[in-house]
Amino acid sequence: MVKNQFNYGIIVAAGQGKRFGGQKQFALVKNKPLLLYAVRPFEICSEVTGYVVVTNKSKIEAVSNLLRRYRSQKLLAVVAGGKERMDSVEQGLLNLPEKGYVAIHDGVRPLLKPEMLTQGFWACRRHPAVTFGIPIVDTVKKVNNRNQIVRTIDRSGLFAIQTPQFFSLEIIRRAYAYARAKKLTATDDCALVEQLKIKPQLLPGTPWNIKVTTKADLLLCQALL
């Protein structure tokens, strides 16, 4: 990797967890909050300069104390998120330097490997945007508002996208500025970059890099960890 390049992380952990029934980022797995597992790869990976954790305003002190207790060395800030995911990512970006690269990661993906961070930052030197994903293997159906199947969708070329997603700080900030100006919304950051006519590069993900959404997912994480 090119020296003197600065790589940062934003770990988004400000969700309300409505489907989960509570703030899942603080659910305990082997007596540790889920968030701690999502943060750890950023601490371990030698390519990461520092990271910001975005959480609920009421949890800032608790998260700060948690990371201090586990002797986090690369934490730059713990900041309050917003109503939507886009708002939270923007708050994270406000706390990073002007130049460098960033990996944006879900705080409820606890099985990220440090090697994936290294791979993503390397790829981001050659591509303006990079993400991980895995091919969709199940048959995909389109249904109407009465839950009736209306057609089968060709799954060839379809991928389930994961985080982290990697960008130069200049590009992701430009994408957010454009989205705000056009009043666009998106569920992931690559979708905003795509609005700039940029095609993110896909890297092979792993099925183990799961996002905890339900209590069943939490049990699977416990087994895998």
Side-chain angles (χ1 to χ4, degrees), residues 23-57:
Q23 293 177 328
K24 53 196 172 183
Q25 59 269 40
F26 302 114
L28 296 181
V29 179
K30 297 185 180 294
N31 297 318
K32 294 180 182 179
L34 203 65
L35 173 60
L36 199 61
Y37 294 97
V39 167
R40 183 168 172 76
F42 290 83
E43 284 283 345
I44 294 174
C45 180
S46 62
E47 307 297 347
V48 175
T49 307
Y51 61 88
V52 175
V53 175
V54 187
T55 189
N56 311 89
K57 185 177 182 179

Side-chain angles (χ1 to χ4, degrees), residues 4-5 11 36 38 63 65 74-76 82 86 90-91 95 110-111 119 124 142 147 158 174 178-179 182 187 214 218:
N4 300 321
Q5 296 286 354
I11 296 97
L36 199 61
V63 170
N65 290 338
K74 298 181 181 180
L75 178 66
L76 300 176
M86 285 179 59
E90 282 187 305
Q91 289 303 310
N95 286 271
L111 299 174
Q119 184 183 3
C124 208
K142 175 69 176 178
N147 283 335
L158 295 182
R174 182 152 54 93
Y178 181 85
K182 298 293 185 179
T187 57
T214 67
L218 197 62

Side-chain angles (χ1 to χ4, degrees), residues 11 24 63 68 72-73 77-78 112 122 129 133 135 149 156 158 164 166 189-190 192-193 202 218:
I11 296 97
K24 53 196 172 183
V63 170
R68 191 178 303 116
S72 299
Q73 302 296 314
V78 179
L112 172 66
W122 268 88
I149 295 173
S156 59
L158 295 182
F166 302 80
D189 301 293
C190 277
L192 299 181
V193 171
L202 183 72
L218 197 62

